[in-house]
Amino acid sequence: MRPIDFTHDPAARSWLVSANQPGSDFPIQNLPFGVFRRAGSAEPWRGGVALGDRVIDLGLLVQAGCLPPAAVEAAALAARPQLNDFIALGPSAWQALRHALFALFALPNTPATIPAAALLEQSEVEHALPLRIGDYSDFYTSIHHALNIGKLFGIPDVSPNFRWLPIAYHGRVSSIGVSGQAVRRPRGQLRPPGAETPVHAPCAWLDYELELGLVVGAANPLGEPVPIGRAEEHLFGICLLNDWSARDIQGWEMAPLGPFLAKNFATTVSPWIVTLEALAPYRCAFERAPGEPAPLPHLIDDAQRAQGGFDIRLSVALESAARRAAGLGAVPLTETSFRHQYWTPAQMLTHHTEGGCNLQVGDLLGSGTISGPTAAEAGAMMELTQAGRQPLQLPGAQGDTESRGFLADGDAVIFRGWCEASGRARIGFGECRGTVLPAL
Ligand code: MN
């Protein structure tokens, strides 16, 4: 577990006024990492840190000699076009850079030593994937999601393994994109309801999955599992993740090996990775409802019991093309918290390695769809609409409404994440947005 220190002080303020705005995702207590360049330019991609409405250009801070010796190497590596080399330095380097940036940008310091060019407007930059992702695995760890999906098919309980191990499958890296991604509706084999044989057609049941992305921060050698007590040392940070899903393709293809084409056409992540250091004030107990089994001993310890969870609040909103054209913005669909998840990030990481599988710096683990205990907390459209049987009604411009059983072409799906509690500084994840393009 990462310590709480002066960088989490809720009273701390930055001389950068926008970082102190109530409701800002990026106050001085957050300092998440991403990769950016000036929008539409041919500038090199480079690493930066979000603060208020700005991006801190780490390379320019290094050049200007603004940083103490202990943080220079970390900042120079974090300024590269991908964050992997910085992350590979390990937790003491992550902490040294966090402390140095806090000292530079928190009051009572003053901006005198910072070159103006090192603070770009977030509205003027574009983002690339912040990581060189070697492997991506996607979990299935919300019991509420699993029960909701089961009920749709008349299955009363989760599969027997669900309560004993964090279920997962190996995913696809090449189609992972950063927020703003345009997602082409896939074509595939699907079997229409009641039909004997499949057809090859555009996906009609296109869905999102509200997830978090867990970024691996330290490798383990092949053949050497990571024990639960060390698992969090192997996690760098967390981003938002949309695991786009073609439900009709999935329903036909997934027996008996699991999802394949239904999941590999797109995955969208948010540009900013919030560090486990920043999330330290928002840890919560690993809790299960009465009657649920305790994990096997290799998947639990006292630290996980006390603080294995994360109280990360999450929302989903949908902006149809018609609402966008009318300037109406997005319709909120869901709000929940990651604290309800059945398995913790550390348990997922330990389970992933228990047979000796080697994880590498920059690997990405999808948390699995995050659905909370009530119907309004469902993390996928499949659950919200009962597989399309109870379509959502989106209010339109002149009192008209649009109906949605699943996603339509032109729809934008917008995830947001934040942590908020009295006596603690609010921090946020920014936005993860993706828009549906029509099938070819
Ligand atoms: Mn998923």
Side-chain angles (χ1 to χ4, degrees), residues 153-168:
F153 299 101
I155 302 165
D157 198 6
V158 296
S159 58
N161 57 355
F162 184 95
R163 292 185 164 85
W164 296 97
L165 58 83
I167 295 171

Side-chain angles (χ1 to χ4, degrees), residues 217-307:
N220 62 295
L222 180 61
E224 295 184 20
V226 178
I228 189 72
R230 310 291 303 266
E232 293 207 1
E233 296 168 32
H234 290 254
L235 287 170
F236 171 70
I238 298 180
C239 61
L240 305 173
L241 185 148
N242 185 345
D243 177 28
W244 300 88
S245 297
R247 301 293 183 199
D248 40 9
I249 295 171
Q250 185 177 358
W252 171 240
E253 76 175 1
M254 76 179 280
L257 271 186
F260 187 46
L261 307 183
K263 300 282 190 172
N264 71 5
F265 59 94
T267 304
T268 308
V269 296
S270 56
W272 299 111
I273 301 170
V274 177
T275 63
L276 258 59
E277 282 73 35
L279 290 163
Y282 291 99
R283 304 306 302 268
C284 58
F286 166 77
E287 287 175 325
R288 285 182 175 173
E292 297 289 339
L296 292 176
H298 73 292
L299 288 175
I300 192 71
D301 65 4
D302 288 344
Q304 284 297 303
R305 260 184 223 101
Q307 304 189 68

Side-chain angles (χ1 to χ4, degrees), residues 5-308:
D5 62 23
F6 60 95
T7 64
H8 303 94
D9 178 1
R13 293 290 179 271
S14 175
W15 50 259
L16 184 70
V17 175
S18 65
N20 308 324
Q21 290 293 321
S24 168
D25 278 344
F26 308 116
I28 188 74
Q29 294 89 348
N30 192 351
L31 303 172
F33 291 86
V35 164
F36 73 98
R37 68 180 176 191
R38 226 173 282 269
S41 77
E43 290 176 359
W45 295 107
R46 54 203 189 269
V49 167
L51 181 65
D53 61 2
R54 304 299 176 104
V55 180
I56 302 169
D57 189 325
L58 293 169
L60 288 184
L61 288 193
V62 172
Q63 279 176 31
C66 299
L67 293 163
V72 167
E73 186 193 15
L77 294 184
R80 290 184 175 178
Q82 288 154 330
L83 298 173
N84 298 60
D85 295 341
F86 159 62
I87 294 173
L89 291 174
S92 60
W94 310 337
Q95 188 185 58
L97 182 53
R98 176 178 172 86
H99 285 183
L101 291 173
F102 186 92
L104 210 51
F105 288 93
L107 289 170
N109 206 331
T110 63
T113 58
I114 311 285
L119 284 172
L120 292 88
E121 300 267 2
Q122 279 175 29
S123 60
E124 294 176 357
V125 307
E126 59 187 1
H127 292 279
L129 273 184
L131 304 161
R132 184 174 61 252
I133 303 170
D135 279 298
Y136 162 53
S137 307
D138 189 36
F139 281 81
Y140 185 71
T141 63
S142 162
I143 196 165
H144 306 294
H145 171 68
L147 287 169
N148 290 345
I149 295 291
K151 275 180 204 146
L152 292 174
F153 299 101
I155 302 165
D157 198 6
V158 296
S159 58
N161 57 355
F162 184 95
R163 292 185 164 85
W164 296 97
L165 58 83
I167 295 171
Y169 65 96
H170 286 114
R172 183 78 197 168
V173 174
S174 61
S175 54
I176 301 175
V178 75
S179 182
Q181 188 176 20
V183 174
R184 179 74 66 187
R185 178 183 299 275
R187 283 176 177 273
Q189 271 198 37
L190 46 97
R191 192 170 64 176
E196 289 263 313
T197 53
V199 296
H200 183 246
C203 166
W205 287 20
L206 185 61
D207 202 354
Y208 56 80
E209 289 189 341
L210 172 63
E211 302 197 18
L212 291 171
L214 314 170
V215 176
V216 173
N220 62 295
L222 180 61
E224 295 184 20
V226 178
I228 189 72
R230 310 291 303 266
E232 293 207 1
E233 296 168 32
H234 290 254
L235 287 170
F236 171 70
I238 298 180
C239 61
L240 305 173
L241 185 148
N242 185 345
D243 177 28
W244 300 88
S245 297
R247 301 293 183 199
D248 40 9
I249 295 171
Q250 185 177 358
W252 171 240
E253 76 175 1
M254 76 179 280
L257 271 186
F260 187 46
L261 307 183
K263 300 282 190 172
N264 71 5
F265 59 94
T267 304
T268 308
V269 296
S270 56
W272 299 111
I273 301 170
V274 177
T275 63
L276 258 59
E277 282 73 35
L279 290 163
Y282 291 99
R283 304 306 302 268
C284 58
F286 166 77
E287 287 175 325
R288 285 182 175 173
E292 297 289 339
L296 292 176
H298 73 292
L299 288 175
I300 192 71
D301 65 4
D302 288 344
Q304 284 297 303
R305 260 184 223 101
Q307 304 189 68

